[in-house]
Amino acid sequence: MPVDGHDNRTYRLGETMTVRLPTAAGYAPAVLKESDWLPRLGPHLPVAVPEVLATGAPGEDYPHPWSVRSWLEGETADPARVGDMTAFAVQVAEFVRALWRCDATGGPPAGEHSFWRGASPGHYDADTRRYLTELDGHLDTGLAAETWQAALDARWTGRPVWFHGDVAAGNLLVAGGELTAVIDFGTSGVGDPACDLVIAWTMFGGASREAFRAAVGGDPGLWARARGWALWKALLMLTLTLGSDPAAATEHRRIVTDVLSDHLAHA
């Protein structure tokens, strides 16, 4: 049985390998990008990343490039599998900072291949403002608009660095309660790393969020843009689930509330 992700399906191949197949043409560029860059990035990171063993070409029955990777032991980072969430938050921060330190020379600039992660969250400005209109009456849209505008105003002026693009529980593997591997570099690239901090609100909270913030460091503008990325995605998902999936909508609303509170506390 495959592991069905949004961007890819992954099949186990024997005991030590996996086959990774993009689900649509828009995700296909990630295959060659990962095949090219993961071998260069991996040695500089504190936890394992997929080892690319081979890259397959499109054929008659499958129209996209695909890859064969090593099997990585561990389970996705459900909070129930994490021993000490505060210590885990520091481990994630250490991964993020190590990735940012990797040599970015020749890396793929943020753009369509990264779904604009690594660029300004302003790429999604029109969408975000539409979600705010649709969600009027369901949350504090005035404060949300203020938080969003703060993200747009906090323009990035630093040097380009590597970003993962989707640092989320489903892409973090744990064993024995600790971070052991990071997978799915499909949205990675070189640019503004603020998008890598969204996990501060999607997975962490309280002491673990503050530990993550302290371990990452960064200036207020970095965190303002990170709040913007988190807000855009949570508003999108809340719009999609509000009338159809109450449990999911509650979680996305929680993320919005935490982001807005964080803006008030740190702006």
Side-chain angles (χ1 to χ4, degrees):
M1 292 292 290
V3 176
D4 283 326
H6 185 272
D7 301 358
N8 297 271
R9 289 189 178 91
T10 300
Y11 294 81
R12 189 78 178 260
L13 180 63
E15 294 298 319
T16 62
M17 296 178 288
T18 63
V19 176
R20 182 170 167 86
L21 304 169
T23 57
Y27 307 119
V31 174
L32 299 180
K33 176 174 63 177
E34 290 181 296
S35 295
D36 187 14
W37 286 101
L38 280 176
R40 308 192 215 183
L41 296 173
H44 304 286
L45 300 175
V47 295
V49 299
E51 178 186 2
V52 180
L53 304 176
T55 302
E60 292 183 6
D61 296 324
Y62 184 73
H64 311 305
W66 50 280
S67 60
V68 179
R69 285 114 177 284
S70 59
W71 173 261
L72 289 170
E73 296 294 338
E75 298 180 282
T76 54
D78 185 288
R81 299 178 180 134
V82 175
D84 181 334
M85 188 62 80
T86 299
F88 180 74
V90 173
Q91 289 183 304
V92 175
E94 289 171 347
F95 162 78
V96 165
R97 289 189 60 83
L99 180 60
W100 296 355
R101 290 193 297 268
C102 289
D103 185 1
T105 304
E112 188 174 4
H113 71 95
S114 67
F115 293 88
W116 305 99
R117 268 74 166 185
S120 168
H123 178 81
Y124 293 104
D125 184 42
D127 291 337
T128 300
R129 296 190 188 280
R130 184 174 72 253
Y131 304 146
L132 290 173
T133 298
E134 294 176 10
L135 292 168
D136 190 32
H138 295 281
L139 50 86
D140 187 343
T141 53
L143 181 56
E146 176 185 311
T147 303
W148 178 247
Q149 189 61 51
L152 302 187
D153 291 342
R155 296 188 179 276
W156 175 64
T157 58
R159 63 180 179 85
V161 300
W162 274 99
F163 59 87
H164 178 276
D166 194 12
V167 179
N171 291 328
L172 307 176
L173 301 186
V174 298
E178 297 191 349
L179 180 68
T180 58
V182 178
I183 61 174
D184 196 351
F185 284 69
T187 52
S188 64
V190 170
D192 175 12
C195 57
D196 279 347
L197 306 184
V198 169
I199 196 171
W201 302 281
T202 57
M203 186 173 186
F204 302 140
S208 63
R209 183 179 298 153
E210 292 310 312
F212 180 71
R213 189 193 307 272
V216 168
D219 61 30
L222 176 72
W223 287 95
R225 295 190 302 278
R227 286 191 290 270
W229 280 109
L231 182 61
W232 158 72
K233 186 61 177 289
L235 291 174
L236 163 62
M237 297 308 297
L238 181 56
T239 301
L240 292 175
T241 60
L242 191 61
S244 59
D245 189 340
T250 295
E251 174 60 10
H252 299 310
R253 194 195 307 270
R254 192 275 304 164
I255 294 170
V256 171
T257 300
D258 282 5
V259 169
L260 302 188
S261 296
D262 200 82
H263 168 73
L264 290 175
H266 295 282

